[in-house]
Structure formats: structure tokens, C-alpha cells
Amino acid sequence: MAELKSDALMEQMKQHLATDAGKEVARKINLVYQMNIAPKKIGFEEVIYTIDLKKGEITKGAYEGGKPDATFSFKDEDFVKVALGKMNPQIAFMRGAMKIKGSLSAAQKFTPDIFPKPSKM
């Protein structure tokens, strides 16, 4: 399985959710997102992550507690761009770089703000 850039981002996110700032984000949003992240092409060899902002957890694999509030499909590099605020989610959606299933109002709450800011090297 290819190593995704998104894996490192999810790892940072996991640690972020354990902090007070991360817990605050989870409390505010209180939704469950499923991310289907493909190395090269949406829909192929996807790695699935569940970002559970009800419990403040990130797990690898499909959501098991029913239906996620919104499911996103991305290519790895596009997910990283959106998460880091380098690509606007609405533009990504309009260009087809991001596909959404589920609640659009839930999807709109998925913004780069929920990710930890990259630490300056």
C-alpha cells in the first residue's frame, strides 16, 4: 500500500484532538466525517479514515457507528491541500477534486480550521 501524505496529517490531527484546542473543535462541530483518500485517482485503492468529532477520535477504516454525517472522497494531494488551507474546499468541490456524500450542511463545517496549524520548521 502506498504511503499517503494524508497519513502524516491524520496522525497530527489525532494528537491535536487530544489537546484542549482540539477538544474545543470537536465539541463545536460534533459531527462524524469519513474520508476516502486515494493515492492517484478518486475511487481507486482508497484509504478510509473516520474523523469522529463526537468522540474526538480518528480511526483508520470505515465508520462503524451507523452513517457518517458526510463522506468526502479526495486524491491524497488534494486532501492535503484542502486540509492545509492551500485549496478552498468550495473550489475543490466545483473542480471535482473533492466529492461529497451525505449532509451538505455537515460538509460545510469541514474546514481547514479543524486541522492543527503546521508547526513552523
Side-chain angles (χ1 to χ4, degrees):
M1 196 84 207
E3 185 68 14
L4 297 176
K5 293 186 185 112
S6 306
D7 290 335
L9 205 61
M10 290 296 185
E11 205 41 59
Q12 288 174 340
M13 180 74 179
K14 239 182 228 178
Q15 291 163 6
H16 178 57
L17 286 175
T19 67
D20 290 342
K23 287 181 180 136
E24 185 54 36
V25 165
R27 230 189 339 266
K28 261 201 313 229
I29 297 179
N30 199 31
L31 295 166
V32 177
Y33 296 113
Q34 185 173 304
M35 301 288 145
N36 300 342
I37 301 170
K40 297 272 181 275
K41 192 167 182 237
I42 290 180
F44 292 90
E45 296 175 15
E46 290 175 328
V47 175
I48 298 174
Y49 280 96
T50 298
I51 299 179
D52 185 338
L53 296 176
K54 288 183 174 162
K55 291 185 186 156
E57 295 175 343
I58 294 186
T59 50
K60 217 168 191 172
Y63 182 54
E64 291 173 3
K67 276 179 102 115
D69 294 294
T71 299
F72 294 85
S73 300
F74 288 100
K75 279 192 337 216
D76 185 35
E77 62 188 48
D78 292 330
F79 172 71
V80 171
K81 283 180 193 161
V82 170
L84 297 178
K86 294 183 175 155
M87 187 192 292
N88 178 303
Q90 281 84 7
I91 290 171
F93 180 68
M94 289 188 298
R95 287 188 185 153
M98 171 172 94
K99 293 189 164 62
I100 301 171
K101 277 193 203 117
S103 156
L104 277 179
S105 64
Q108 285 167 337
K109 292 183 181 149
F110 181 77
T111 66
D113 300 343
I114 71 175
F115 290 91
K117 298 294 158 266
S119 44
K120 301 282 179 274
M121 294 294 180

